[in-house]
Amino acid sequence: MKIPPEDLMDFVSEALHSVGVPRKDARTAAEVIVEGDLRGFHSHGVLRLPGYIEGIEKGAIRPELRMEEISRKSSVVLYDAYHSLGHVVGYRATLEAVELARKHGSGVVAVRNASHYGIAGYYTTLVAERGFIGFTACGTEPAVAPYGGSQPVLGTNPVSIAFPRRDGPPIIVDMATSVVARGKILQALREGREIPQDWAVGPDGEPTTDPEEALAGALLPFGGHKGYALCLALEVLTGPVVGAAAGKDVQGTTDPTVPCNKGDVFVALDLSALVDEHEYYDRLEKLVSQVKSAGDDVLLPGELEFRRRERALREGIELPEGSVRAVREVAEKLGLEDPTR
């Protein structure tokens, strides 16, 4: 089933507004959520809308934005978001990081206690489209076993880095530090299908293809000990470094009915503080040309997602069955017109 992106965005915006999110913020959140589906990250798109709605209704997610400044030192700022809607918090924090970078050469905005913020690549794209290098990382509830272990201690800890290009979409790294994002396990469970055997272990520590067993067990870090090391580093960055919860103390990213206590970090870096802009773009395109010449099937990070996005903007978003059910669930619950019918 293909749905016009604007119709889906209008629906998500109206759904959020109907449970108390101010209309402008509801639109911002809708753009972030639908961007997940546009790029093919359906595990972070409208599939999660019922959870966001439930979290707001149960008081775990604050519908109206509150960002209280905790500290500020030159171009580094820390906020407490008091469980505000993560997509809106992330958008505001990203734009502030860019403004700090314009003034100081770099900008770092850290946030405690914002809810789940969707796809990390949305925020770094915002930065790269303005001609800056973007970085973001966030903590999540424990889902990943440390290398050599079988119990979930670390989050999937997504990270994204984006580099602007002279022409074409930015180079965007956007990934979880687990073999797969936890949202893909949730998506498989919702759609009633098995998962690959190398994604996770069950409670008994043995590999499993059952998404329910995987959620009760632990995901595996990508790349063995190297992925584990990166996962742990991001756990420290988004936890102890910003005064947020870490490890087994993180809650609220998977269960939206529980107030979220994770940390988020947003960074913007002004290229002109390091290199002449034209020189940067010339050198980057030379590198891109060399990378592409290595084989006909070589893609840049983010290239496949932007192809999907362009096709979805032209032809409509092809939603998987689980996402369609999520939209219908929200439409029925809130008495809204269902864009999937």
Side-chain angles (χ1 to χ4, degrees):
M1 171 176 294
K2 292 187 177 180
I3 302 173
E6 193 64 31
D7 290 354
L8 193 58
M9 221 171 290
D10 288 345
F11 171 78
V12 174
S13 178
E14 194 60 37
L16 292 170
H17 179 61
S18 72
V19 292
V21 180
R23 192 166 290 282
K24 183 178 180 181
D25 289 345
R27 184 67 184 185
T28 296
E31 289 178 359
V32 182
I33 292 167
V34 174
E35 188 67 27
D37 290 305
L38 280 168
R39 298 190 191 188
F41 295 124
H42 298 298
S43 61
H44 287 56
V46 293
L47 182 74
R48 290 185 180 243
L49 185 58
Y52 299 143
I53 299 296
E54 185 180 12
I56 292 171
E57 290 179 330
K58 293 190 173 179
I61 299 175
R62 178 187 292 271
E64 295 184 351
L65 179 67
R66 179 183 176 187
M67 291 176 67
E68 180 180 311
E69 186 177 305
I70 303 300
S71 65
R72 182 180 293 265
K73 190 171 184 179
S74 184
S75 63
V76 182
V77 188
L78 172 65
Y79 288 101
D80 191 320
Y82 291 92
H83 315 301
S84 300
L85 192 58
H87 311 82
V88 182
V89 173
Y91 179 79
R92 300 287 183 91
T94 297
L95 294 186
E96 181 169 358
V98 170
E99 290 310 307
L100 288 169
R102 290 188 199 281
K103 182 177 180 180
H104 299 283
S106 64
V108 180
V109 178
V111 181
R112 304 172 185 164
N113 304 319
S115 74
H116 185 267
Y117 74 7
I119 59 168
Y122 175 87
Y123 306 102
T124 55
T125 301
L126 282 182
V127 178
E129 287 177 343
R130 287 160 174 76
F132 296 78
I133 295 170
F135 170 91
T136 187
C138 75
T140 76
E141 287 178 65
V144 177
Y147 183 72
S150 59
Q151 300 302 312
V153 177
L154 304 174
T156 57
N157 300 347
V159 59
S160 179
I161 307 171
F163 299 92
R165 294 182 64 193
R166 178 184 289 128
D167 299 305
I171 295 173
I172 299 180
V173 176
D174 184 1
M175 65 181 193
T177 48
S178 51
V179 171
V180 67
R182 197 171 193 272
K184 291 190 180 295
I185 308 284
L186 293 168
Q187 183 180 356
L189 178 64
R190 194 168 185 120
E191 295 174 0
R193 54 182 171 81
E194 292 187 337
I195 60 172
Q197 195 171 26
D198 61 350
W199 281 11
V201 294
D204 59 359
E206 295 298 320
T208 181
T209 59
D210 183 340
E212 192 167 0
E213 286 287 301
L215 292 170
L219 300 180
L220 298 174
F222 83 91
H225 63 284
K226 294 182 180 181
Y228 155 62
L230 178 58
C231 185
L232 179 59
L234 294 172
E235 191 86 27
V236 176
L237 177 65
T238 60
V241 170
V242 301
K248 292 185 176 182
D249 295 328
V250 181
Q251 60 182 23
T253 59
T254 300
D255 182 355
T257 65
V258 177
C260 194
N261 60 1
K262 67 174 171 63
D264 306 320
V265 177
F266 305 87
V267 179
L269 176 63
D270 186 354
L271 287 164
S272 68
L274 298 172
V275 67
D276 174 79
E277 182 177 305
H278 297 293
E279 180 184 351
Y280 162 78
Y281 286 119
D282 287 344
R283 289 180 179 274
L284 178 61
E285 292 311 312
K286 181 179 180 180
L287 174 60
V288 167
S289 178
Q290 291 174 354
V291 169
K292 287 282 195 176
S293 70
D296 294 338
D297 297 327
V298 173
L299 295 173
L300 298 175
E303 187 174 358
L304 179 61
E305 289 75 23
F306 273 97
R307 288 182 184 178
R308 290 174 182 158
R309 186 181 192 276
E310 290 173 359
R311 184 169 60 250
L313 287 172
R314 291 193 312 269
E315 303 173 4
I317 299 173
E318 185 76 55
L319 287 181
E321 184 56 37
S323 298
V324 171
R325 286 200 300 269
V327 169
R328 290 176 177 172
E329 177 184 328
V330 171
E332 182 177 355
K333 179 177 184 178
L334 300 179
L336 301 175
E337 184 176 348
D338 184 352
T340 69
R341 298 189 185 279

